[in-house]
Amino acid sequence: MTLSIRNIIPIIKANWFGNNDISIIDTISIDSRTLQNGKHTLFFAISGPNHDGHQYIEELISQGVQNFVVTHFDENLKSKANFLVVENTLEALQKFAAFYRNQFDFPIIGITGSNGKTIVKEWLNFLLSPDYNIIRSPKSYNSQVGVPLSIVAINEKHNLGIFEAGISLKNEMEKLQKIIDPTIGVLTNIGSAHDEGFADIGEKIKEKLKLFTSVKVLILNKNRTICAFVNPKIKQFNWSSDDKSADVFVTKKKLDEITELNITYQEETFPVRIPFQDQASVENAIHCLMVMLYFGYNQKVIQTRMTQLYPVEMRLKVKNGIFNCTIIDDSYSSDFQSLKIALDFLEHQKQHKKKTIILSDIFQSGLTNEELYPQVSQLIISNKITRVIGIGETISKFKNKFINGICFKNVNEFIAAFDPETSKLNFENETILIKGARDFHFEEIVSLLEEKTHETVLEINLNAISHNLNFFKSKLAPKTKLMVMVKAFGYGNGGFEIAKLLEHHKVDYLGVAFADEGISLKNGGISVPIMVLNPETTSFSSIIQHQLEPEIYSIKGLKAFLKIAEQKKLKHFPIHIKLDTGMHRLGFQENNLLELIKTLQGNETVKVKSILSHMATSDDLAHQAFAISQIELFENLSSQLISALKTKPIRHILNTSGISNYPEAQYDMVRLGIGLYGVSNDDEEQKYLENVGTLKSVISQIRTIEKGESVGYGRRFMAEKQTKVATIPIGYADGISRHLGNGVGYVIINQKKAIILGSVCMDMLMVDVTDIECKEGNTVIIFGERPTVNEIAKLLQTIPYEVLTSISQRVKRIFYRE
């Protein structure tokens, strides 16, 4: 892309203010936090319910960005940059992308549906890439913002596009259709995802089909309900396993761990084998096969390539590495667009100053190698990468383009050179991005560098945390600040990694229970202000040393802190005053107020940064009167304190439930806790939150026992019939309550319930898999989408907090972004 500001003005119908309308643009950005913004970036200041890009314009100018699309700007900045003023910046971005798309005339495959979009896109890329130079949307960039950002990556060397479109509300698809303007349509499975955005299934189908209004052909599973909504003017190329009148008739047969498809097309029948048996994968594979048939591929090519399909990894994973390293695992793809995304993720999640990238040859850039690798080098430089380890014949030829570059022709060469103690490849105290094309088998490098732990893991979905954060942000008034609680190891999910994500989202405060939690975050490089809610007097010196901010809840504690503050000759050190308005746990009560005021008046060593209280019944509307009385008492006591001290501190009383149930009491800040982690006590609100943590294990062993035989300690389970029993390597030492044993709890194996048998052991539990098709090594879901943490809490007659925070730290946490 090379356009000038002068070219872009009429495309987005903008008014230009600035000093250089011939400024050249080669990159589009909406993220102020990426290190990839520069002189030739056009920054669209998107305004949404949770973020406003206009807030970061001055900061971006200081970083060298010169060109902005805005709805307004500060007149004082007029001489410092170019401003293209429009009515709506998101619509301007979409207009620009639609214009850019229309500069290219080659086939574009548009994919939509409820499920399978990304997998079909990735598989089509694999199946067709030997014959086409493909541009595709990276990861799952299928939204109102993601689609235009994907489209503007097209260049003159591409000759096939594959883009997915996702919607959750009415009237969204029409905008995406104008941007993608597909010539070939693929409609994947229509399921229940985002049902809440549509009146019924018919409305949802009609909205999805808007993507295909101008396609030459629509590829779909022949279905009476869906076909009834398809415009008869659109040519269909359909398949079916039931209706022999379909263009392609497919029968399926399971063989060991594969599926054999018998394809009948144009009066010929031929077999195709795919390495999957689950229904979703089979259906996705058939959609891909249909595209190959439409493109005219012969049977032999189809048969050969379809056998090579693979599970698609759509996640960037954060793992603990050897020698205090952090691993970012993106070992299944290597293209220029996804490299940009991975480098951004590295910056958001970096835990060390030193940053290393292990990178394979890059494919499908649409550029010659001589054009591509200098661009890769500049991208890596802009992201301040410390060391580059290239693996591949091609990248090795461009070794001199990389600062601190080391290259190997293949993974085996790298492994041979790897010696943790003597090699130049030593890894220690650094964040390592591992990014390689599938053919390079970078999973071997991940295995080499990853810290070895047992097979039970808690997977943390960072996308879901961002979603839940934004959900609660949308409930806040524009000026209301947000503190997020990361105490108790992030409610069991992992403290530092979540804190890093929250810092990326620019929350105002983080909250921890004890000083050591805050010190750990500060030592990791977290710069967001951190409040310590339960500081012990013995920790005051450490709190001051690490620039943490203590909550003060008693006269004794206040005097102890003031004594240390005076000894250290502090001035205006921030403290937070806790008022007890009815919780009766910690805090100054009304009868302490005069002494509190007297102690603080005229004291220059500390500054009251905030005044807070905690609600006892914000989650239970049966106690609404008590909750309101707490808010009223907080208003009264905090107002007295503010008046007497002649100060303007931040006031906050609402926790997660309070945000939803008492919005009138937001004051200056609210505190988000368990809601961030996808848990609500309100069934209606729960529908809008996404699951964050999935606790997984595997089947260690399967055995069959006969009637009358027992399982586990104490013979608490006695078989009444022949029973197939699976042993799972997770127990009460990992945080699984013994109360879930003996038939109370269950796990999920291959989408089916497996009841827990007998006693939960320290390191193992046993489940009934008599009616479940499974084998040793299969994945076991302890909690996640099903069963949920809420369900387990109800079984245990406790609260979700206890379930989450009970998960032992010996369980490895894997953080990922989809």
Side-chain angles (χ1 to χ4, degrees), residues 183-187 205 209 212 214-240 243 245-248 265-266 287 290-291 293-294:
T183 55
I184 300 164
V186 177
L187 181 66
I205 292 169
L209 290 172
F212 308 124
S214 61
V215 295
K216 295 177 180 177
V217 65
L218 171 59
I219 294 169
L220 74 165
N221 185 351
K222 191 173 184 180
N223 173 291
R224 185 178 299 175
T225 303
I226 294 173
C227 290
F229 292 100
V230 177
N231 186 332
K233 294 180 180 179
I234 295 175
K235 179 185 175 184
Q236 292 186 35
F237 184 44
N238 53 44
W239 66 272
S240 177
D243 186 348
S245 69
D247 297 308
V248 178
Y265 174 55
Q266 293 181 343
H287 282 118
M290 292 290 290
V291 173
L293 288 174
Y294 177 75

Side-chain angles (χ1 to χ4, degrees), residues 247-249 262-271 293 299:
D247 297 308
V248 178
F249 185 66
N262 271 295
I263 310 299
T264 302
Y265 174 55
Q266 293 181 343
E267 300 182 352
E268 287 190 43
T269 299
F270 61 98
L293 288 174
Q299 294 177 15

Side-chain angles (χ1 to χ4, degrees), residues 110-112 165 173 176-177 180 182 207-213:
I111 306 170
T112 195
M173 189 61 86
L176 299 186
Q177 190 280 328
I180 300 174
E207 187 69 21
K208 297 274 186 187
L209 290 172
K210 287 181 181 178
L211 179 62
F212 308 124
T213 52

Side-chain angles (χ1 to χ4, degrees), residues 703-726 742-743 755-759 766-770:
R703 62 171 42 79
T704 299
I705 63 172
E706 301 301 325
K707 179 179 179 180
E709 293 189 298
S710 62
V711 172
Y713 288 117
R715 306 193 74 196
R716 290 184 67 201
F717 174 77
M718 302 287 292
E720 297 179 356
K721 60 180 182 179
Q722 188 182 74
T723 305
K724 190 165 65 168
V725 179
N742 212 32
I755 302 298
I756 298 174
L757 302 177
S759 300
M766 287 69 73
V767 297
D768 185 351
V769 292
T770 304

Side-chain angles (χ1 to χ4, degrees), residues 40 65 73 137 153 266 311 325 343 385 390 450 583 594 662 685:
H40 299 299
V65 180
F73 66 95
S137 41
Q266 293 181 343
C325 290
L343 286 168
I385 301 300
E450 188 178 3
M583 183 77 162
L594 288 177
Y662 299 96
E685 183 173 81

Side-chain angles (χ1 to χ4, degrees), residues 772-791:
I772 300 174
E773 191 176 319
C774 59
K775 60 185 179 181
E776 292 172 3
N778 279 175
T779 298
V780 178
I781 305 297
I782 315 300
F783 65 66
E785 295 284 356
R786 175 176 174 240
T788 65
V789 171
N790 280 334
E791 287 178 67

Side-chain angles (χ1 to χ4, degrees), residues 48 78 192 333 379 491 521 713 771 792:
K78 191 172 181 179
S192 58
S333 69
L379 191 60
Y491 288 65
L521 295 179
Y713 288 117
D771 299 318
I792 292 175

Side-chain angles (χ1 to χ4, degrees), residues 136 152 156 163 249 302 342 345 375 464 467 504 517 541 745 765:
R136 72 193 192 280
V152 297
E156 290 76 9
F163 298 97
F249 185 66
I302 292 173
F345 185 67
Q375 288 192 30
H467 168 88
H504 171 68
E517 295 175 310
S541 291
L765 58 83

